[in-house]
Amino acid sequence: MACRRWWDLSQGNPDGQHRFKNPCGLAISKTSNPHLLFVSDKDNNRVQVFNISNFRFVRSIACGQNPRGICLFTNAAGREELFVAEQIENRVQVFHASTGASLRTIGSGQGSGAGQLRNPFDVAVHRDSSGVVRAFVVDARNNRVQVFNADTGAHMAIIGSYGSGNGQLYCPAAVKIREVREGDRVRVLLFVGEYDNHRMSVFDAMSFEFVRVMGNGKGRRNGQFNFINGMGF
């Protein structure tokens, strides 16, 4: 496959366009015209936005300290929102994807209680059949995924606990949601990449029940993992 374009990934200062300092996450706009690429520029504390068609820099969105995983979601009003997991701030910040304006935050500060976060690494958002929009936040140092109402920030549930057994998590680092067809029904699955368990744990995103493990342990062979950091569909 031929490379069409590359961006300078060398360490850059906060004013340098097309320059990054530890890029950690990607998201592509589904509603913008032209399509836009959002890149979390972790150590420059920003998200940079590019036009995918011509690879030109569009704008920069200032974030809290160490933005990592990001995702885009279109709300009921048709507005696309950018969710950013801010590792050091111990929160998820939500931005207007078109203007970069900060809209709200999710998480009630650093800690181990319900709704509190310790090093959120990633976030995924999904609207269920009843219209409730849920944000699934990887709470890495608490070894769990926390579920919030994405519109109000209200805490809803905790998925996982520390360990290596079925349904347990050890330093989860990445999360994605996927609707899959199983016979005559559609099931919503939550995929969690575990950095220190070297595996993928899969949960039902609606009931939060454990479904299965993917991966054959730590290693370099096919089907094995060595410190999972991200995933995509």
Side-chain angles (χ1 to χ4, degrees):
M1 181 180 295
C3 177
R4 292 186 58 197
R5 178 71 184 225
W6 59 274
W7 281 285
D8 185 350
L9 300 182
S10 58
Q11 293 187 359
N13 61 61
D15 296 323
Q17 298 176 5
H18 284 232
R19 297 180 69 87
F20 302 94
K21 196 171 183 182
N22 293 341
C24 278
L26 300 172
I28 296 175
S29 172
K30 297 179 181 179
T31 64
S32 62
N33 186 18
H35 292 326
L36 299 176
L37 172 68
F38 293 72
V39 185
S40 63
D41 187 7
K42 182 173 77 75
D43 288 344
N44 280 327
N45 303 316
R46 64 187 179 184
V47 172
Q48 294 202 64
V49 187
F50 298 87
N51 183 324
I52 293 180
S53 299
N54 58 22
F55 310 106
R56 294 179 184 271
F57 172 84
V58 176
R59 62 180 171 274
S60 180
I61 300 173
C63 301
Q65 197 170 359
N66 284 19
R68 292 183 67 103
I70 61 177
C71 74
L72 290 161
F73 184 82
T74 303
N75 67 15
R79 180 181 68 194
E80 195 166 43
E81 296 180 340
L82 174 68
F83 290 73
V84 182
E86 297 177 344
Q87 178 184 349
I88 302 302
E89 305 291 346
N90 294 297
R91 69 185 183 187
V92 172
Q93 190 167 185
V94 186
F95 298 89
H96 192 300
S98 296
T99 67
S102 178
L103 301 174
R104 60 189 178 278
T105 60
I106 295 173
S108 55
Q110 182 177 358
S112 300
Q116 295 181 317
L117 300 166
R118 291 179 62 219
N119 289 11
F121 276 12
D122 201 5
V123 57
V125 180
H126 179 265
R127 180 184 289 110
D128 66 23
S129 58
S130 66
V132 176
V133 182
R134 306 181 189 191
F136 296 80
V137 182
V138 169
D139 189 7
R141 295 306 174 192
N142 282 326
N143 303 295
R144 63 191 183 184
V145 173
Q146 293 205 67
V147 188
F148 298 85
N149 184 305
D151 294 322
T152 67
H155 183 260
M156 300 179 70
I158 292 174
I159 301 173
S161 61
Y162 171 73
S164 299
N166 289 342
Q168 294 182 314
L169 302 171
Y170 187 13
C171 193
V175 64
K176 288 289 182 290
I177 295 175
R178 185 77 168 183
E179 294 184 355
V180 299
R181 181 164 292 280
E182 296 182 349
D184 59 354
R185 69 165 182 158
V186 175
R187 192 176 192 185
V188 184
L189 296 179
L190 180 75
F191 295 80
V192 183
E194 300 179 62
Y195 185 86
D196 281 327
N197 269 339
H198 314 287
R199 68 183 186 184
M200 301 279 296
S201 283
V202 185
F203 299 85
D204 187 300
M206 298 296 97
S207 67
F208 313 134
E209 295 178 351
F210 171 77
V211 176
R212 69 177 72 93
V213 164
M214 300 172 61
N216 298 317
K218 182 181 179 182
R220 298 181 181 276
R221 296 180 179 178
N222 293 338
Q224 294 182 316
F225 296 106
N226 203 359
F227 302 109
I228 295 174
N229 262 313
M231 71 182 101
F233 289 124

